[in-house]
Amino acid sequence: MSKSLNRVRAALDAAGVAVEIREVSQARTAAEAAEAAGCALDQIAKSIIFRGENSGRVILFLTAGGNRVSAEKASSVAGEPLGKADAAQIRAETGFAIGGVSPVGHLTPIRCFWDPRLSDFATIWAAAGTPHHIFEIEPATLLRITGAEPAEFTE
């Protein structure tokens, strides 16, 4: 197993959450993940990362697969202007490459916000640290273990 996948598994285990991590051919995008999981697009918890312009740290926005994050609303929710986080910073702070950023198992603690649309489903799917691994989880459980703050930040 990859280090990224191991960190996700360890974070889930530490939180007492038993889930199956599924290996798929490709889940780099929400559409690919939904196809691989056999679920609705909005059942995919996309990990969208911005860089706080004041803090310099990455901020994670977990959003339903069909939603787009509004930069203006996200900045308001985060309490600081947001900019684009580059791939190197995302990897340095989360330990994951773009296309496989998991909501759990980050290298450093990360501020996280939650799209309420994700809570409309019995289960949702998220990246497990690589573009080829996903896991299914109850939204309330993922919300709890990420410590995410529910907020309105979508277009």
Side-chain angles (χ1 to χ4, degrees):
M1 269 202 275
S2 76
K3 288 180 184 179
S4 298
L5 189 59
N6 284 337
R7 271 199 329 280
V8 172
R9 169 56 63 209
L12 292 166
D13 288 349
V17 178
V19 300
E20 175 192 345
I21 294 178
R22 184 185 297 179
E23 185 170 2
V24 298
S25 61
Q26 183 81 341
R28 191 172 295 279
T29 67
E32 290 171 350
E35 184 176 328
C39 70
L41 182 61
D42 276 359
Q43 281 181 270
I44 300 300
K46 288 192 301 193
S47 294
I48 306 297
I49 305 245
F50 288 94
R51 180 183 180 278
E53 294 297 326
N54 297 337
S55 66
R57 299 289 313 274
V58 297
I59 301 170
L60 174 61
F61 291 83
L62 292 173
T63 189
N67 283 350
R68 291 183 52 96
V69 174
S70 160
E72 185 177 312
K73 289 179 183 177
S75 291
S76 178
V77 164
E80 65 179 308
L82 299 177
K84 182 177 163 93
D86 67 27
Q89 182 178 18
I90 291 170
R91 187 180 287 274
E93 291 192 41
T94 70
F96 305 118
I98 294 171
V101 176
S102 178
V104 299
H106 304 126
L107 291 176
T108 60
I110 188 169
R111 286 180 68 205
C112 183
F113 295 94
W114 178 268
D115 177 355
R117 172 72 173 125
L118 291 168
S119 297
D120 291 345
F121 301 97
T123 62
I124 55 176
W125 292 80
T130 82
H132 302 286
H133 294 89
I134 57 177
F135 64 93
E136 184 178 24
I137 190 167
E138 293 177 350
T141 301
L142 187 59
L143 181 60
R144 175 180 59 81
I145 66 175
T146 60
E149 181 182 327
E152 296 293 339
F153 53 79
T154 60
E155 291 181 353

